[in-house]
Amino acid sequence: MTDSNRPNVLAHSLFSDEDIALFRAGKHYDLHLKLGSHLIEVEGQKGVQFAVWAPNAERVTVIGNFNFWLAHEHPLYPRWDGSGIWEGFIPGIGNGEAYKYHILSKVDGQQHEKADPFAYYWEIPPRTASVVWDIQHEWNDQHWMQTRSQANALNRPFSVYEVHLASWKRKVEEGMRSLTYAELAAELVPYVKEMGFTHVEFMPVMEHPFGGSWGYQGLGYFAPTSRFGTPQDYMHLVEAFHNEGIGVILDWVPSHFPGDAHGLYRFDGTALYEHEDPRKGFHPDWKSYIFNYGRNEVRSFLISSAIFWLGNYHADGIRVDAVASMLYLDYSRNAGEWIPNQYGGRENLEAVSLLRELNEAVYARFPDIQMIAEESTSWPLVSRPTFLGGLGFGMKWMMGWMNDTLEYFKHDPIYRKYHQNELTQSLTYAFTENFMLPLSHDEVVHGKGPLIGRMPGDEWQRFANLRLLYGWMYTHPGTKLLFMGSEIGQTSEWVADDSLHWDLLQHAPHQGVSRWVKALNTLYSSAPAMYERGFESEGMLWIDHADHENSVLAFIRRGLNEKDDLLVVINLTPRPHDKYRIGIHAAGEWQLALNSDDSKYFGSNYSILVSAKSKSVHSHGHSQSLELNLPPLGIIIYRRNA
């Protein structure tokens, strides 16, 4: 039906009473199907259904090119049920139409032009309008989707290549522009496949106004950035990865959002998505705004966003950014700058509740994906089920391992004997969570320099140390994450406006690092001892962690079958050791699987035994032992002969 006073908009709704009840209860997990802009047909007319939540608005109209951005042409109807939703159908407009909501606030009397929080597509920044878009797509990754539960399981290899899409590679001949989604499908996918990574993780692809935020200051919680192409172009990129057997993890930011005028901030003239009180609603570090996790409608918004990316874009997991900032009310705040919870504590109970509900909702619908927490504190049970009191994540970043390991590798080898506990202490808590070992973008920005820049010694020693660092990460229990550029030994700090320095691969040291990472991925994915018990204490058996004087570590990685055992020996100094005796738990012959000192990795090619047979000589508490030559600044891995 039409209203004679509003001839341009039909009173039409996609909401049922149940939808409204779920929305207001914070339990509507498919809110994107109701709010936002949708191409439909009403009374025989094709057009667009609009719906927006703005409970403190006096009037809401849709503005766009179709009405010359005039604020009075297409007013929406407020729902009668007090939900705060404004809606209506505009006939005669279609796919690709740019629009915003013009909101007159009844609180401050101000007029606000806002992009659609539920838009599927946005104009290319710096333009800020939303775009009506049909995101229907005939997916061609059925085999992956049907079998991905195996690739994403906790007892399978999980080696992640973290990527910033805008700077992985740029077209130098075209003004250093970023690659499109289509070009990334043609170039990034085969590269990740060749390097042997099992998964790729995208720094946020959700639409964001400022490219310098790397996507972490986002506003388009339902839209891939238009910088590199259309939503369907992005879908083809995901498909390309899936058809090569590679999973896609997405960074997702429910912790904060920027205060751009066209965004979520004071959406209807009030603190709608954020807290009114800056002690809970403003983030002092990032100068951004914190979601009101206790507001049910906001909870529906956030959980619907996660569900949307997993369902509509076939994401294989979500890495939740800055979880620690959500968990603590006093995060980055001094005394007097925060409000305790109802029990007087510093825990953000509303955020804890949201995270638990988020993980329950996601895993109920997508049991074959992984939810991963970037959580930097000792909050207990992050990766344990909610029914046990946990937060319900599948994995947690092991920030302690990363910090201690990088601190250790900065030491000159002559002093490392005094710091060996910096490496070994991670094993005292390695099995309290399902840990992912991250060497992420955060470690190569803000003046920290590249990883190779932290390694001591001359050129040969620095590259040997870098290979050692990666060898320690891959043989340590837990899943793996490596930021782009680290696999080629990039020699400068990552710059988001530049390309990785691929020309470095002309040089032998960088070729060696690249080959070494590929070799580690190959062994990791093919040796069950490396992943079957990656989160179990039974998966690792120390042989010796106390040889501080020689800075040597020796341990066994164990799978479900004893025949798959791997022996790992690490020499963290430039001094080789001949006939170094290693106690061994099983008699027999051991065959060399990997040697970081091999010349093909830019190693010294020190004389290493290709195979070694145990002898009945007691050592390290074992009746059998091996005599091995340990290369300088090297890691050697042996496997049992069947």
Side-chain angles (χ1 to χ4, degrees):
M1 61 181 243
T2 61
D3 185 324
S4 59
N5 295 319
R6 298 178 176 184
N8 297 325
V9 182
L10 298 181
H12 185 268
S13 179
L14 297 179
F15 283 89
S16 66
D17 291 344
E18 182 182 10
D19 287 322
I20 296 298
L22 289 171
F23 173 50
R24 301 182 75 172
K27 303 294 183 182
H28 202 308
Y29 303 150
D30 294 300
L31 203 54
H32 53 280
L33 299 178
K34 306 297 178 177
L35 288 172
S37 57
H38 300 277
L39 292 159
I40 63 171
E41 185 174 320
V42 175
E43 297 181 4
Q45 300 182 79
K46 292 182 178 180
V48 179
Q49 174 73 21
F50 292 94
V52 62
W53 179 51
N56 298 299
E58 181 70 32
R59 184 183 69 243
V60 178
T61 61
V62 183
I63 57 176
N65 290 327
F66 58 91
N67 63 12
F68 304 101
W69 301 91
L70 297 176
H72 299 282
E73 293 295 310
H74 291 84
L76 298 179
Y77 296 83
R79 285 188 62 88
W80 54 269
D81 50 23
S83 62
I85 293 171
W86 297 72
E87 59 190 353
F89 173 79
I90 301 178
I93 62 174
N95 205 51
E97 194 72 62
Y99 70 98
K100 284 185 179 179
Y101 295 116
H102 184 278
I103 299 174
L104 173 63
S105 174
K106 63 184 177 185
V107 176
D108 62 10
Q110 298 296 309
Q111 300 179 61
H112 307 271
E113 290 188 2
K114 295 290 187 177
D116 190 341
F118 287 85
Y120 293 152
Y121 194 34
W122 291 47
E123 288 186 307
I124 300 173
R127 300 180 70 88
T128 58
S130 304
V131 179
V132 176
W133 201 259
D134 182 357
I135 59 169
Q136 293 301 310
H137 177 66
E138 290 189 19
W139 286 88
N140 187 32
D141 61 352
Q142 291 81 7
H143 176 73
W144 169 265
M145 296 298 288
Q146 291 166 5
T147 60
R148 70 174 179 177
S149 59
Q150 302 169 32
N152 290 332
L154 293 176
N155 62 352
R156 297 293 297 168
F158 210 98
S159 173
V160 180
Y161 186 59
E162 186 190 19
V163 178
H164 179 249
L165 293 179
S167 61
W168 178 74
K169 186 181 289 187
R170 289 186 176 231
K171 291 288 186 181
V172 180
E173 66 278 11
E174 298 181 36
M176 289 296 287
R177 72 164 176 83
S178 300
L179 300 187
T180 64
Y181 291 129
E183 289 167 336
L184 288 162
E187 298 190 43
L188 176 60
V189 173
Y191 177 77
V192 175
K193 178 73 170 180
E194 172 67 19
M195 291 301 295
F197 291 96
T198 66
H199 292 73
V200 66
E201 178 180 316
F202 297 153
M203 291 165 66
V205 299
M206 298 78 184
E207 194 58 85
H208 50 283
F210 177 47
S213 74
W214 314 330
Y216 291 101
Q217 295 268 12
L219 291 175
Y221 278 75
F222 297 84
T225 180
S226 56
R227 289 169 172 86
F228 317 124
T230 68
Q232 281 79 6
D233 293 332
Y234 173 72
M235 292 174 183
H236 283 300
L237 174 60
V238 174
E239 262 179 352
F241 275 112
H242 285 174
N243 290 330
E244 290 295 341
I246 299 166
V248 177
I249 311 296
L250 300 182
D251 275 13
W252 182 67
V253 189
S255 49
H256 64 113
F257 60 87
D260 295 70
H262 66 283
L264 299 174
Y265 174 65
R266 300 197 74 83
F267 189 79
D268 61 359
T270 69
L272 189 62
Y273 286 87
E274 71 275 20
H275 283 273
E276 181 71 49
D277 191 322
R279 291 174 295 176
K280 293 185 74 175
F282 182 74
H283 200 293
D285 284 353
W286 304 317
K287 312 303 180 191
S288 54
Y289 296 88
I290 301 169
F291 284 104
N292 186 343
Y293 304 116
R295 181 166 286 160
N296 286 342
E297 294 87 348
V298 173
R299 294 167 74 94
S300 286
F301 170 80
L302 289 172
I303 296 176
S304 290
S305 173
I307 294 287
F308 172 80
W309 291 99
L310 293 164
N312 290 76
Y313 285 102
H314 288 198
D316 302 294
I318 289 175
R319 177 265 199 186
V320 181
D321 182 65
V323 170
S325 74
M326 300 172 64
L327 293 174
Y328 297 98
L329 294 164
D330 62 346
Y331 186 89
S332 286
R333 298 178 190 275
N334 298 316
E337 296 177 348
W338 59 282
I339 306 172
N341 63 33
Q342 65 192 77
Y343 304 108
R346 57 196 284 254
E347 300 80 10
N348 189 333
L349 302 180
E350 295 165 343
V352 172
S353 169
L354 170 76
L355 290 170
R356 287 174 172 160
E357 184 176 351
L358 165 72
N359 286 319
E360 289 172 353
V362 164
Y363 278 120
R365 197 174 298 193
F366 306 100
D368 54 355
I369 61 91
Q370 286 296 339
M371 295 292 288
I372 305 166
E374 185 215 10
E375 204 287 306
S376 55
T377 74
S378 57
W379 187 282
L381 307 177
V382 171
S383 59
R384 296 294 181 261
T386 57
F387 63 80
L388 295 177
L391 292 183
F393 286 94
M395 297 183 213
K396 171 184 172 174
W397 274 21
M398 196 176 192
M399 309 297 278
W401 170 88
M402 177 273 297
N403 286 316
D404 291 341
T405 296
L406 291 180
E407 191 63 32
Y408 175 88
F409 271 90
K410 287 194 293 188
H411 297 306
D412 188 298
I414 197 171
Y415 301 116
R416 285 180 175 173
K417 62 183 177 181
Y418 304 113
H419 300 277
Q420 192 145 314
N421 64 304
E422 290 177 2
L423 280 190
T424 58
Q425 68 180 350
S426 62
L427 273 304
T428 65
Y429 62 91
F431 307 106
T432 59
E433 300 275 5
N434 297 336
F435 280 120
M436 172 177 282
L437 282 58
L439 291 174
S440 75
H441 68 276
D442 283 328
E443 311 323 313
V444 294
V445 292
H446 303 316
K448 296 177 183 176
L451 293 179
I452 188 71
R454 305 187 203 185
M455 303 296 125
D458 59 23
E459 180 186 64
W460 184 88
Q461 290 183 350
R462 287 188 294 114
F463 278 93
N465 272 302
L466 188 66
R467 296 193 303 275
L468 259 184
L469 169 64
Y470 297 161
W472 171 238
M473 177 174 76
Y474 272 83
T475 55
H476 189 289
T479 54
K480 328 296 174 187
L481 179 140
L482 192 64
F483 181 58
M484 66 180 200
S486 301
E487 83 283 6
I488 63 173
Q490 178 136 327
T491 53
S492 59
E493 186 171 278
W494 171 58
V495 178
D497 293 331
D498 196 3
S499 171
L500 295 183
H501 296 179
W502 295 104
D503 57 316
L504 292 173
L505 286 174
Q506 302 172 47
H507 307 292
H510 300 276
Q511 292 173 7
V513 173
S514 176
R515 290 174 184 146
W516 176 241
V517 171
K518 181 179 177 180
L520 285 170
N521 274 324
T522 299
L523 180 67
Y524 175 51
S525 293
S526 62
M530 297 279 272
Y531 57 80
E532 283 184 337
R533 290 180 159 180
F535 302 123
E536 304 173 21
S537 58
E538 294 82 2
M540 181 171 175
L541 172 67
W542 275 117
I543 295 173
D544 190 1
H545 56 76
D547 188 359
H548 301 263
E549 195 62 36
N550 291 309
S551 295
V552 170
L553 299 174
F555 54 92
I556 298 289
R557 286 302 311 271
R558 314 188 75 171
L560 297 174
N561 193 319
E562 192 177 77
K563 69 178 178 61
D564 294 325
D565 288 356
L566 295 176
L567 167 65
V568 181
V569 187
I570 303 176
N571 176 17
L572 292 146
T573 73
R575 182 167 63 91
H577 301 286
D578 290 342
K579 297 184 178 180
Y580 190 97
R581 188 164 294 281
I582 301 288
I584 202 74
H585 66 300
E589 189 173 9
W590 293 74
Q591 194 77 25
L592 183 66
L594 272 186
N595 168 24
S596 69
D597 192 51
D598 193 301
S599 59
K600 64 187 173 186
Y601 308 128
F602 194 61
S604 70
N605 229 23
Y606 191 79
S607 179
I608 301 298
L609 296 175
V610 175
S611 64
K613 192 169 185 179
S614 67
K615 295 181 179 179
S616 299
V617 178
H618 192 275
S619 183
H620 296 105
H622 297 287
S623 60
Q624 294 285 315
S625 61
L626 301 170
E627 268 192 353
L628 301 174
N629 292 342
L630 309 188
L633 290 172
I635 176 171
I636 50 178
I637 304 173
Y638 285 83
R639 67 171 90 225
R640 294 182 64 182
N641 271 350

